[in-house]
Amino acid sequence: MGFVNYEVKGAVGVITINRPEALNALNSAVLDDLNAVLDGVDQEAVRALVITGAGQKSFVAGADIGEMSTLSKAEGEAFGKKGNDIFRKIETFPLPVIAAVNGFALGGGCELSMSCDIRIAADNAVFGQPETGLGITPGFGGTQRLARLVGPGMAKQMIYTARNIKADEAFRIGLVNAVYTQEELLPAAEKMAGQIAMNAPIAVRACKKAVNDGLQVDMDKAIVVEEKLFGSCFETHDQKEGMGAFLEKRKEKTFTNR
Ligand code: CO8
């Protein structure tokens, strides 16, 4: 794909937003390429994804301001929907997705990272929702996902002030799980994805669905979501393999995604 690279390393797929001349800003073509890469992921062979940005400076510096600058009301809504649909695809993607945030994650970039299951950052990462300074609201889910991740008070502060925060502050408020040096970031993301990939894929997918779906409903309904998914695991070969290996004191396990 022109603006999005995809490389499979064992059971880990690495998606790289590749428009470094514009700090990987998301225009329509980048979004289309990202969508096509997601649609092309082999969900049998690949068991976890990493999303990162090309170059040393930026994860994604936002939606493309040049492209957005002349939009009408209807076009703005349509552009928001285009991004939202793709980011929701990532959020509900059957495989876990790790954002390796290697620099600027502003506006749509922060929103892209928040649609991933897990965020880890390089020490040069900068997060923010600068939209109010541009005369708009966040448009790719920022008002919703930031509030859910860091709480409404901190989300409102970041969004109303449009103030960027550095990696250490993002770590302190729980927006990222860990901070690495720039050199260590991608290896760390791939290592984490590799650890996930070693576990039973159906169980990992069910855990993603349980957390995501359970957060949308009250606790009484949420534990039923978990019960159903927990029960469904007992129909799988991988449950028999995982528990069989424990009982037989066998270290090697072969999870076949069945
Ligand atoms: N859009 C378009 N081009 C960009 C963007 C962007 N978001 N960010 C950077 N670029 C381009 C610059 O224009 C520049 O291009 P050129 O060399 O042709 O002039 C190139 O990337 C390099 O950027 P800088 O020279 O500015 O690099 P600096 O190191 O000086 O600054 C910054 C880096 C601080 C990241 C700076 O580029 C910046 O502030 N960028 C904009 C960040 C921003 O405001 N992002 C949020 C955009 S709004 C958004 O994402 C809303 C999402 C939802 C949309 C829903 C629509 C309905």
Side-chain angles (χ1 to χ4, degrees):
M1 286 293 159
F3 288 119
V4 180
N5 296 343
Y6 182 56
E7 190 184 357
V8 177
K9 301 179 178 178
V12 175
V14 180
I15 296 174
T16 306
I17 311 294
N18 185 24
R19 196 188 169 210
E21 66 282 5
L23 302 183
N24 303 321
L26 303 170
N27 61 18
S28 297
V30 178
L31 287 172
D32 286 339
D33 287 356
L34 176 59
N35 195 35
V37 164
L38 289 167
D39 287 346
V41 170
D42 177 349
Q43 295 181 25
E44 275 291 317
V46 173
R47 295 186 177 179
L49 293 175
V50 172
I51 299 185
T52 194
Q56 294 298 313
K57 199 173 163 182
S58 184
F59 175 70
V60 166
D64 190 293
I65 298 172
E67 184 175 319
M68 281 188 298
S69 61
T70 56
L71 296 182
S72 66
K73 179 182 173 195
E75 289 166 342
E77 218 174 294
F79 189 55
K81 178 166 168 41
K82 186 183 178 92
N84 272 333
D85 286 351
I86 298 168
F87 288 11
R88 186 76 179 132
K89 184 180 284 190
I90 293 170
E91 189 167 48
T92 59
F93 205 72
L95 305 179
V97 187
I98 300 167
V101 180
N102 58 322
F104 293 112
L106 301 176
C110 188
E111 291 167 311
L112 172 60
S113 79
M114 292 190 294
S115 72
C116 299
D117 296 285
I118 295 166
R119 281 152 298 289
I120 60 174
D123 51 15
N124 69 331
V126 177
F127 292 82
Q129 297 289 162
E131 286 88 347
T132 56
L134 295 164
I136 58 173
T137 70
F140 292 161
T143 55
Q144 304 310 306
R145 294 196 179 93
L146 190 58
R148 284 163 173 76
L149 279 169
V150 303
M154 186 57 79
K156 286 174 175 173
Q157 181 180 327
M158 282 179 65
I159 293 168
Y160 299 170
T161 63
R163 187 177 68 86
N164 294 340
I165 60 170
K166 293 184 177 163
D168 55 346
E169 191 172 351
F171 177 65
R172 188 174 57 74
I173 66 173
L175 186 54
V176 300
N177 291 5
V179 179
Y180 297 89
T181 64
Q182 291 176 58
E183 298 72 36
E184 286 170 336
L185 177 68
L186 198 54
E190 290 175 5
K191 185 175 173 196
M192 189 190 295
Q195 283 167 343
I196 293 170
M198 285 169 64
N199 291 323
I202 294 171
V204 171
R205 288 174 193 214
C207 290
K208 174 166 178 170
K209 191 167 168 50
V211 174
N212 281 356
D213 292 0
L215 283 172
Q216 306 308 316
V217 296
D218 66 48
M219 186 58 85
D220 288 318
K221 294 195 179 82
I223 54 174
V224 176
V225 169
E226 188 186 84
E227 280 162 22
K228 300 279 180 214
L229 288 160
F230 174 72
S232 71
C233 294
F234 290 86
E235 288 181 335
T236 66
H237 164 274
D238 286 349
Q239 174 267 327
K240 289 171 184 48
E241 171 67 6
M243 292 194 179
F246 175 81
L247 294 173
E248 292 158 22
K249 303 192 185 306
R250 171 162 58 84
K251 275 220 171 85
E252 303 72 35
K253 287 178 273 191
T254 309
F255 290 126
T256 56
N257 205 10
R258 296 280 177 273

